[in-house]
Amino acid sequence: YFNMIVIVGAGLSGLLVGYRLKQLNVPFQIIEARERIGGRIHTVLSANATPVEMGATWFGNQHLHLKKLLSELGISHFEQFMSGITFYQPSSNAPVSAISIPDQQPSYRLQGGTSQLIQKLAERVGEENIILNATVSQIEFYDDQALVHADSVYKASRVVLALPPKLWASNIKISPSTPGDLLKTALSTHTWMEESIKVALVYETPFWRNNNHSGVLFSNGGPITEFYDHSNFDENKYALCGFVHPNFAKLAFEERKAKIADQLANVFGREARDFQDYMESIWEEQDHTYSRSLGQLIPHQNNGNPIYRKSYFKDRLFISSSETAELYPGYMEGAVVSASFTVDSLKLSKAY
């Protein structure tokens, strides 16, 4: 185990750290609490195999590290459809109005779904190096090794925490105790997506496009707060997908679904009720993403804090996640930047 690195978390950052270590012929093990890899990247298939995103979806031209990785892995992307009339509702009592939005920097989606990125990384990492359904409960650091307690006890020369800081700060017992300033910062670091509700409705035809609608809706009234065309690259699978206000998590499934259908019919017309499938993900119900905050956190609070770019316990603990990146923290780009920084730090560490 002398050179074994244990990575906690098989999301984008953890898998990318594993991939880079494999390229360096450094032994590693990735431990994941969920029954699947990907973390907050989660593409699901509808009944008719339309890929819809329950997690990370979009990126832009400014996300250079992510684009370079996609090129390296041979993954294609395409521009988000935005043509036609956009709808805006300023409040729940106000009528919906048609607006035209000025030209923006394009957003992109991955061909075949964002999980293509996860699957390609996992293929290179090797399934023998990923352990699923193993929740890390404790990590002990010693002068010459670390012990990671999950389904078994794993010996490591170094440990990489590749999950949101608030999650490990809340759920993993670390000994000797985590330095106070690091623990305090981690507990007050906003976890991207943790209070989000993502919803997708699949249709037989892109009726909104046929009516010269972009499929885009911005609403301050809810339940949907923002919605977009979610048709696939080949334009033979059609969906609308976006975010619902977190308050609607309190409703029962059927009630929430009915209110969303009502809103879409009010905006796009009766055809919006004729959906073939409805899917949703309430991220605050997912223990491996959501953890209670001690106080109200603002979006991206403490994301990118420099405290995460230090190593701890004599170069035995490293931190890598989207929230900890110096650039674009809280985005897929951040996860890639953070993983690259972590691997460089590991290569320089005395324990290597």
Side-chain angles (χ1 to χ4, degrees):
Y1 68 88
F2 176 69
N3 220 9
M4 173 68 73
I5 296 174
V6 169
I7 301 162
V8 183
L12 174 53
S13 207
L15 288 170
L16 183 52
V17 170
Y19 171 43
R20 296 300 184 216
L21 291 177
K22 188 160 188 183
Q23 291 176 308
L24 295 167
N25 291 314
V26 175
F28 65 93
Q29 190 78 65
I30 300 176
I31 302 175
E32 169 57 50
R34 285 183 168 93
E35 75 293 340
R36 65 170 180 84
I37 57 174
R40 290 165 286 171
I41 292 177
H42 189 33
T43 309
V44 297
L45 293 179
S46 72
N48 73 348
T50 300
V52 295
E53 306 296 353
M54 293 289 103
T57 307
W58 299 279
F59 64 96
N61 284 323
Q62 71 274 30
H63 296 154
L64 301 175
H65 298 83
L66 175 61
K67 289 186 76 174
K68 190 176 176 188
L69 177 63
L70 295 175
S71 176
E72 179 184 344
L73 297 174
I75 299 172
S76 301
H77 57 280
F78 65 105
E79 191 172 333
Q80 169 68 42
F81 180 83
M82 297 289 280
S83 304
I85 295 165
T86 291
F87 291 101
Y88 172 63
Q89 185 181 24
S91 70
S92 51
N93 302 323
V96 177
S97 53
I99 60 169
S100 57
I101 51 176
D103 284 345
Q104 319 235 349
Q105 289 288 326
S107 285
Y108 301 102
R109 289 165 47 206
L110 297 191
Q111 246 173 271
T114 317
S115 288
Q116 289 292 317
L117 174 54
I118 296 301
Q119 286 152 12
K120 285 273 168 66
L121 284 172
E123 285 166 17
R124 284 159 172 76
V125 161
E127 64 177 50
E128 70 279 4
N129 294 313
I130 303 171
I131 296 166
L132 299 176
N133 297 303
T135 302
V136 173
S137 57
Q138 184 181 358
I139 304 172
E140 300 171 87
F141 290 98
Y142 299 94
D143 284 346
D144 60 342
Q145 66 175 2
L147 299 178
V148 180
H149 297 257
D151 58 325
S152 307
V153 179
Y154 299 87
K155 291 180 178 179
S157 61
R158 281 149 303 159
V159 176
V160 176
L161 289 173
L163 68 168
K166 185 153 62 81
L167 211 56
W168 56 253
S170 302
N171 298 339
I172 299 176
K173 184 186 176 196
I174 294 176
S175 59
S177 57
T178 309
D181 52 348
L182 175 61
L183 184 64
K184 185 180 174 187
T185 304
L187 288 170
S188 57
T189 296
H190 177 257
T191 299
W192 170 78
M193 285 292 289
E194 73 170 345
E195 63 288 282
S196 295
I197 302 176
K198 204 76 186 287
V199 164
L201 293 91
V202 176
Y203 294 92
E204 192 173 356
T205 63
F207 64 87
W208 56 95
R209 292 192 185 192
N210 301 338
N211 297 330
N212 191 34
H213 297 158
S214 63
V216 179
L217 163 64
F218 299 110
S219 171
N220 296 329
I224 292 165
T225 54
E226 50 181 295
F227 237 43
Y228 301 92
D229 180 292
H230 208 66
S231 307
N232 66 350
F233 168 73
D234 295 318
E235 296 188 352
N236 58 8
K237 306 279 186 186
Y238 312 107
L240 294 169
C241 181
F243 295 92
V244 166
H245 195 283
N247 285 351
F248 287 84
K250 301 183 182 81
L251 300 184
F253 173 82
E254 289 297 340
E255 190 180 355
R256 185 169 49 250
K257 181 177 166 183
K259 284 185 180 295
I260 287 166
D262 287 347
Q263 184 184 12
L264 288 175
N266 183 40
V267 173
F268 294 111
R270 188 195 52 75
E271 291 168 290
R273 294 191 185 279
D274 299 331
F275 51 90
Q276 295 179 306
D277 210 347
Y278 170 94
M279 281 158 292
E280 66 173 27
S281 183
I282 301 174
W283 284 92
E284 71 173 42
E285 293 177 355
Q286 303 195 23
D287 291 342
H288 303 308
T289 296
Y290 177 83
S291 54
R292 242 182 89 243
S293 302
L294 299 175
Q296 186 69 36
L297 301 183
I298 59 169
H300 296 291
Q301 183 169 320
N302 273 319
N303 283 196
N305 193 303
I307 201 166
Y308 296 124
R309 291 188 289 284
K310 300 175 186 173
S311 63
Y312 296 88
F313 302 107
K314 297 180 180 174
D315 262 1
R316 299 213 176 272
L317 175 64
F318 296 79
I319 299 164
S320 182
S321 78
S322 176
E323 284 77 14
T324 68
E326 186 171 15
L327 295 170
Y328 297 102
Y331 297 89
M332 288 189 283
E333 172 79 354
V336 175
V337 167
S338 183
S340 302
F341 177 86
T342 299
V343 171
D344 286 343
S345 301
L346 285 164
K347 285 194 284 192
L348 294 169
S349 85
K350 295 189 289 292
Y352 192 69

